[in-house]
Amino acid sequence: MLKEILLTAPSPEGAISICVEVIYSDRRTLGLEVTAEGRVRARVPRRAGDRAVKEFVEKKKDWILEKYLLQKKRREERREAAGDRDYERDPALEARYRQLARRVIGQRVSYFAAKMGVTCGRISIREQKTRWGSCSGQGNLNFNWKLILMPPEILDYVVVHELAHRKQMNHSPAFWAEVERILPDWRERRRWLREKGGEV
């Protein structure tokens, strides 16, 4: 049984060699996946023969190349959005970023809280692994310091999102209406964050 297929495809950058990992399972159809990390997987039925799998991958070569290049572009954009990541090698630089994040996020929270007619408790700047921000039932707000590396409009979206929880501790239509009252283009900001930074 095949383990991988090496696919060569032309691109604006020249010929690209893409390794397609072949994964067998009890599924009935052949499918393809290109992950955010750029890994390409062909998921196929156990009964599928090598020739059929190769023909399927070759037939989908244009689709694979399109998605592969799209994910590559998104990874590059995420790297640009996060800066050159020198902070990973320089604790002093990270400390300065965290200090700047505390000041800027604090200012934006004060500005939008007044605009939205809400109050909040303690504001903490952390490095959550899966969230950009959160709001506790007691009104305490937590924000990821790496928001300072994001475009200002994205930082503002996360601040407004968490402050809206001071009125609605859910993601109901009433919650999103509150977000939209402040940021009419919140959907675009949320989409950017989901595609290039993660999800709140």
Side-chain angles (χ1 to χ4, degrees), residues 62-112:
D62 291 344
W63 183 91
I64 292 172
L65 179 63
E66 177 186 353
K67 299 301 180 185
Y68 181 86
L69 293 176
L70 176 62
Q71 293 293 13
K72 180 182 178 183
K73 180 181 178 183
R74 287 177 174 173
R75 289 196 302 277
E76 291 171 349
E77 289 174 343
R78 284 197 294 270
R79 282 195 293 271
E80 290 175 3
D84 59 7
R85 305 183 76 87
D86 280 349
Y87 61 82
E88 293 183 346
R89 300 181 297 275
D90 186 348
L93 178 60
E94 178 177 330
R96 288 197 295 273
Y97 276 138
R98 286 176 180 265
Q99 187 176 29
L100 179 62
R102 183 174 300 279
R103 186 173 78 249
V104 172
I105 291 174
Q107 290 172 348
R108 301 311 284 166
V109 167
S110 295
Y111 171 78
F112 283 113

Side-chain angles (χ1 to χ4, degrees), residues 41 57 63 70 155:
R41 301 185 178 114
V57 170
W63 183 91
L70 176 62
L155 186 153

Side-chain angles (χ1 to χ4, degrees), residues 12-71:
E13 306 170 0
I16 292 180
S17 294
I18 302 173
C19 180
V20 181
E21 182 183 0
V22 181
I23 300 175
Y24 294 88
S25 68
D26 293 329
R27 63 182 293 142
R28 297 182 179 181
T29 59
L30 290 83
L32 286 167
E33 172 191 20
V34 181
T35 71
E37 294 74 31
R39 297 183 64 180
V40 183
R41 301 185 178 114
R43 300 186 181 276
V44 303
R46 296 187 192 283
R47 66 177 185 279
D50 291 356
R51 181 177 177 181
V53 175
K54 288 180 179 178
E55 289 179 349
F56 171 72
V57 170
E58 185 65 29
K59 182 179 178 181
K60 296 292 186 179
K61 181 164 65 175
D62 291 344
W63 183 91
I64 292 172
L65 179 63
E66 177 186 353
K67 299 301 180 185
Y68 181 86
L69 293 176
L70 176 62
Q71 293 293 13

